[in-house]
Amino acid sequence: MIKLSINGEEKQFPEPQAVAELIASMGLIGKRIALECNGEIVPRSQFATHLLQDGDTIEIVVAVGGG
Amino acid sequence: MSDNLIIAGKTYKSRLLVGTGKYKDFTETRAALDASGAEIVTVAIRRTNLGQNPNEPSLLDAVPPSKFTYLPNTAGCYTADDAVRTLRLARELLDGHSLVKLEVLGDPQSLYPNVIETIAAAKTLVAEGFQVMVYTSDDPIVAKQLEDIGCVAIMPLASLIGSGMGILNPWNLQLVMERVKVPVIVDAGVGTASDAAIAMELGCDGVLMNTAIAGAKDPLLMASAMKKGVEAGREAYRAGRMPKKLYSASPSSPTAGIIASVRS
């Protein structure tokens, strides 16, 4: 089991997975999002290859209304 | 005669910049933006809602980045580090878009800018190639420092964010304008159309607002009023107002040819 913190919530997964798999499991495919892992941007071009490891802290953001 | 706003080499017709927050829904947001005539619109960057409905409407659909110039902000950031990370995410989200609004706040009660953290964040962002429009206090020394760092617009508050208190210190805004060459855009504090007009009459290059429109009873009508207020103020500034003359009466009608008083 690996533990990931996603947007402040602890989630457990059976094994390390690529960012693309996580995005797919969250129903975010095709959505305009940006993703940061441990404070560093993971570019969209690396979603398929970037492997998430136990203890990673992930932020996934969107654009919302704001002033 | 053209009188355009130029920020980081790009030309804009409208001198009114508006936020996209606090509207009832995206339909109202879009209608208010259209009524305001704004071309530059601020957006916030927030965590996606885990477990949200994937078909939920998105701001990007209602306010397409192909039609508006997005200005992602760092609202809610209290440190330079958080602000820098937020804007890196924004740049990734918006396909390399580099025009951003930096704001680093001091405390949640006043939302007053923390200029120390703002300056630190501005240095990092400019070095990373961002075009930084920066929310700051109306301190002319700090404004000049931010320009020297390489910010593309200085955006002093007129009064506190969301307060609607208007232009509280026109003299400081003038000091800021005297010192910096990049556009000076009043950001925060405008409450009604006359406030926007006053900012423009002072010589500011633009006005940025959100709550004044979204918080009005009729946001669409207020958006239209703000458009006119900004335009009227700009024209008055360019026209050059008459001097104020206390005790120097000058009638507008001829003083000759007035009929005689009837003797009693």
Side-chain angles (χ1 to χ4, degrees):
Chain A
M1 290 295 266
I2 66 156
K3 255 192 217 163
L4 302 177
S5 165
I6 305 171
N7 287 357
E9 285 182 30
E10 291 281 332
K11 302 260 183 193
Q12 293 207 344
F13 297 88
E15 55 191 7
Q17 55 179 333
V19 169
E21 293 171 77
L22 176 71
I23 299 291
S25 71
M26 293 176 68
L28 292 173
I29 287 177
K31 295 277 151 193
R32 274 291 261 278
I33 57 155
L35 185 142
E36 187 190 64
C37 180
N38 302 328
E40 302 288 335
I41 297 282
V42 180
R44 248 169 284 169
S45 58
Q46 291 173 22
F47 279 8
T49 51
H50 186 107
L51 216 54
L52 298 169
Q53 307 289 346
D54 188 38
D56 280 353
T57 299
I58 294 145
E59 296 282 355
I60 306 173
V61 299
V62 293
V64 301
Chain B
M1 195 174 109
S2 72
D3 173 45
N4 295 323
L5 172 63
I6 299 173
I7 299 171
K10 202 175 162 209
T11 300
Y12 303 91
K13 287 192 186 73
S14 173
R15 290 176 179 274
L16 174 58
L17 295 72
V18 300
T20 56
K22 298 186 181 172
Y23 290 97
K24 164 172 107 220
D25 52 36
F26 288 142
T27 308
E28 189 185 67
T29 308
R30 177 60 193 269
L33 299 194
D34 287 342
S36 76
E39 296 163 89
I40 301 177
V41 300
T42 63
V43 300
I45 303 299
R46 289 291 179 272
R47 284 171 163 175
T48 183
N49 214 345
L50 299 183
Q52 75 177 3
N53 171 9
N55 299 317
E56 203 171 278
S58 142
L59 178 71
L60 288 111
D61 297 328
V63 183
S66 54
K67 284 210 159 124
F68 296 89
T69 297
Y70 267 37
L71 192 61
N73 70 25
T74 61
C77 291
Y78 290 88
T79 65
D81 188 47
D82 285 351
V84 168
R85 279 175 54 213
T86 298
L87 292 177
R88 285 176 185 150
L89 282 163
R91 182 156 67 176
E92 175 65 18
L93 184 72
L94 298 170
D95 303 322
H97 176 85
S98 62
L99 187 71
V100 295
K101 172 179 164 179
L102 170 64
E103 58 181 296
V104 188
L105 305 173
D107 72 47
Q109 287 74 42
S110 70
L111 301 179
Y112 203 83
N114 179 332
V115 297
I116 312 284
E117 292 292 313
T118 301
I119 285 170
K123 283 180 181 164
T124 305
L125 291 166
V126 169
E128 292 185 12
F130 285 92
Q131 295 171 323
V132 181
M133 299 175 67
V134 59
Y135 169 66
T136 182
S137 67
D138 60 2
D139 179 331
I141 307 304
V142 171
K144 182 72 176 76
Q145 286 180 3
L146 288 164
E147 180 185 47
D148 290 344
I149 287 167
C151 293
V152 299
I154 305 299
M155 306 205 289
L157 50 75
S159 48
L160 297 183
I161 292 174
S163 71
M165 292 288 284
I167 316 288
L168 295 188
N169 194 338
W171 297 278
N172 265 43
L173 290 179
Q174 255 155 352
L175 292 177
V176 169
M177 285 184 281
E178 275 175 25
R179 274 161 185 75
V180 308
K181 293 186 186 69
V182 295
V184 174
I185 293 169
V186 160
D187 180 3
V190 165
T192 188
S194 55
D195 295 335
I198 288 168
M200 296 309 294
E201 286 174 8
L202 286 169
C204 293
D205 297 280
V207 181
L208 196 166
M209 64 182 72
N210 191 152
T211 313
I213 295 174
K217 275 186 195 151
D218 184 339
L220 303 196
L221 195 54
M222 187 57 90
S224 165
M226 289 300 185
K227 178 181 199 269
K228 291 167 183 160
V230 167
E231 287 172 357
R234 179 64 184 176
E235 287 185 6
Y237 168 73
R238 291 176 64 213
R241 62 152 298 150
M242 64 162 283
K244 289 180 182 175
K245 292 178 289 188
L246 283 174
Y247 306 113
S248 176
S250 165
S252 299
S253 303
T255 49
I258 297 168
I259 60 168
S261 306
V262 178
R263 281 189 201 148
S264 54

